[in-house]
Amino acid sequence: MVEKVSPEAQAAYERIHASDDFARLKKAYLGFVAPMTVAFLVWYLLYVLCSSYAGGFMDQQLIGNINVALVFGLLQFVTTFGIAYWYAKYSAAKMDPIADALDEEFEREVQS
Amino acid sequence: MNTTYGIVAITLVAVATLGIGAFGLRVSRTTSDFYVASRSVSPWLNSSAIGGEYLSAASFLGVAGLVLAFGADMLWYPIGWTTGYLLLLVFVAAPLRRSGAYTIPDFAQVRLQSAGVRRVATALVVAVGWLYLMPQFQGAGLTVRTVTGAPGWVGTVVVAAIVVVNVVLGGMRSITFVQAFQYWLKLTALLVPVFFLLAAWDDDGRPSPVAPSDWIDPFSTGDATGLYLTYSVMAATFLGTMGLPHVVVRFYTNPDGRAARRTTLIVLGLLGTFYLLPTLYGVLGRIYATDLIDSGRTDAVVLELPSRILGGTTGEVLAALLTAGAFAAFLSTSSGLTMSLAAVMGQGLAGARLSGISALRLAAVGSVVVPLALALSAERIAVASSVTFAFALAASTFCPLLVLGIWWRGLTAPGAIAGMVGGGLCAGVAPVLTIAGSPDGWFGTAMSQPALWSVPVGFGLMIGVSLLTRGSVPLNVARTMVRLHTPERLDVDRRDR
């Protein structure tokens, strides 16, 4: 399927793609996602490793029958939700304004 | 279990499903209504629908059974299924919605401008869908047989028929209402009995589970095989969620990218709340129903606990409620899968002879017939293993396509085809070998959970072949990238049929 795009719109797209704002948008995204993905994978992989090889550490009783493994496991879920919430906040605060600015710029360029 | 209560429960769920579907029918008018509910579904309704669709019988019955049999190690499955949504949110949710496409093959074509990529993606959507539908149909037959004593094919055929009628009559909008209803039904069905069961357990003097220490401590066996299997399940569930056609298509029904993010956030909460419950049933089962482990019927633990712990009319009514929940689980997952398969196949059929809606209806019938025939003829394979293979297949093909397609401008059509075919072959041959030959040793282990090696194969081929065919990067890549990463209103030429 070949889509029809007016030459003005095509030019505007090309220009926006090359603009500083678009680069900033991608940088803002990567600046959050790259470190977060690494941290989050290490955290998950560590849980499985500790469970397999560090039984003594995981078996320590904290309160009553509750041991380190159980708390560690529950925290996995809490972090999942926490990161998701943090990401939604971050996108709304840092990425959406840049995207909105680009959007307005495009409208002006194509309509004028 | 009392047969009458069970039959009444199943009938009520079936009638409610068709009734809500008919309500959706009154508001479904246009092609867009049928395919993506006119993109006007609110985050809460949409999240409930996603929860309703995602929580299949494997979650409703299977997780409790796994916890009963194998203990804490199995908690990894619900955590992985939930985390898959986080990755979906961070990597693909909003851009995918902004691409303006209805289905994964649509996205592939818009991004890469190639009919070949579209055909490969369509074939894979159908493969993943059938792999996932077959065990749902078989499980439905099993549940109906357990509850009513009817032959196995009855439940299978009833579920398939209800699903087709719903999709044919109402399309996506009606399915959205049905699935939102079914999430809350499933949650209620598990939540209400838990209070009665825990009260009875309290009266009983709070006995502890009788179990060996490796049931309580996760992964305490400490061998490399266990570590490989767990990491592979993680890879499949984390990365497969974003590639499941019936999950991804839901993001097209959000009004905009921001709503898509909110939807994912609510879904994570809904899934997390839900998954606490089957775990409790599994632990209670370890106290009151350990004989199910010896008889190999661990999947029945959720349905059997009320009559065992409470007995009497209370127990029977609660058991009927749980049966209703299980039936809702089969219906909702099958509906979502059928809808997404029908959407993809319907687009292929639509043309000069057929309108979009007639094509969708014809495709709905077509997409159910094959898994129905398989479910009736093939030998029963465990629900959980068939579902995990579907996750691995999606993770090895659609995950690289979506992640690279959205975030890397260097992706080319030949690269995408090579990655999907290569990753798909690896993840597709492994289950065939496992079921046909059950090989031993390291090879057998690698085949039984292929995701950890088949996902890198998919990514590697996609990146490698794209770099070799650098000349064929689509000409419009700059426009597609801007369109994917900036808000909706930037859409003078966004396709919105």
Side-chain angles (χ1 to χ4, degrees), chain A residues 1-5 9-10 12-14 16-17 22 25-26 29 32-33 37 40-41 44-49 51-53 58-59 65 67 69-70 73-74 76-77 79-81 83-88 91-92 95-100 102-104 106-107 110-111, chain B residues 72 75-76 79 82-83 86-87 89-91 98 106 109-110 113 118 208 216-224 227 230-231 234 238 258 261 265-266 268-269 271-273 276 406-409 475-479 481-483 485-487 489-495:
Chain A
M1 138 188 58
V2 178
E3 296 174 68
K4 290 187 195 71
V5 187
Q10 182 66 42
Y13 276 127
E14 295 286 351
I16 287 178
H17 189 261
F22 194 70
L25 184 66
K26 286 201 132 177
Y29 171 80
F32 183 86
V33 166
T37 307
F40 154 91
L41 277 182
Y44 277 161
L45 299 186
L46 196 68
Y47 174 67
V48 182
L49 272 180
S51 304
S52 298
Y53 298 109
M58 297 297 259
D59 275 347
N65 269 331
N67 61 13
L70 195 65
L74 276 176
Q76 303 268 297
F77 185 75
T79 39
T80 304
F81 191 79
I83 293 173
Y85 183 74
W86 192 9
Y87 174 73
S91 312
M95 286 160 62
D96 286 353
I98 308 178
D100 283 335
L102 281 173
D103 180 27
E104 277 162 30
F106 178 86
E107 301 265 298
V110 171
Q111 266 147 38
Chain B
L75 291 177
W76 198 255
I79 292 177
T82 314
T83 306
L86 176 62
L87 295 184
L89 164 74
V90 169
F91 289 107
R98 294 188 196 118
D106 258 356
Q109 189 167 23
V110 166
Q113 302 286 301
R118 181 190 190 92
S208 291
I216 298 161
D217 294 330
F219 315 112
S220 47
T221 43
D223 61 347
L227 205 60
T230 309
Y231 282 159
M234 281 166 71
F238 282 17
R258 241 166 268 194
R261 284 203 300 262
L265 211 53
I266 301 174
L268 284 175
L271 292 184
T273 313
L276 290 175
I406 292 172
W407 297 106
W408 185 47
R409 55 172 293 159
L475 293 172
N476 67 341
V477 66
R479 177 165 54 88
M481 283 299 180
V482 171
R483 195 199 268 183
H485 298 293
T486 54
R489 280 163 292 132
L490 191 81
D491 67 352
V492 277
D493 61 334
R494 211 185 289 273
R495 286 184 327 130

Side-chain angles (χ1 to χ4, degrees), chain B residues 3 12 39 58 107 119 167 202 246 261 277 329 353 361 371 385 436 453-454 459:
Chain B
T3 309
L12 280 180
R39 300 178 178 271
F107 168 79
R119 276 194 290 275
V167 174
D202 195 45
H246 66 301
R261 284 203 300 262
L277 296 169
R353 295 254 198 91
R361 289 178 168 166
S385 64
W453 56 272
S454 64
F459 267 103

Side-chain angles (χ1 to χ4, degrees), chain B residues 17-43:
Chain B
T17 302
L18 288 172
I20 299 173
F23 170 72
L25 180 61
R26 289 194 300 155
V27 286
S28 286
R29 286 289 171 268
T30 64
T31 306
S32 180
D33 265 341
F34 269 79
Y35 278 107
V36 290
S38 303
R39 300 178 178 271
S40 59
V41 181
S42 77

Side-chain angles (χ1 to χ4, degrees), chain B residues 202-285:
Chain B
D202 195 45
D203 285 346
D204 215 13
R206 304 183 177 204
S208 291
V210 186
S213 70
D214 66 350
W215 187 83
I216 298 161
D217 294 330
F219 315 112
S220 47
T221 43
D223 61 347
T225 312
L227 205 60
Y228 169 82
L229 288 176
T230 309
Y231 282 159
S232 206
V233 167
M234 281 166 71
T237 51
F238 282 17
L239 302 174
T241 305
M242 72 175 76
L244 292 180
H246 66 301
V247 171
V248 167
V249 80
R250 281 262 153 230
F251 282 90
Y252 299 109
T253 62
N254 283 301
D256 58 44
R258 241 166 268 194
R261 284 203 300 262
R262 264 197 72 201
T263 300
T264 315
L265 211 53
I266 301 174
V267 168
L268 284 175
L270 294 180
L271 292 184
T273 313
F274 180 87
Y275 279 129
L276 290 175
L277 296 169
T279 313
L280 273 177
Y281 281 84
V283 174
L284 284 172

Side-chain angles (χ1 to χ4, degrees), chain B residues 399-426:
Chain B
C399 171
L401 176 73
L402 289 168
V403 170
L404 295 176
I406 292 172
W407 297 106
W408 185 47
R409 55 172 293 159
L411 184 68
T412 66
I417 291 177
M420 284 196 287
V421 171
L425 278 179
C426 291

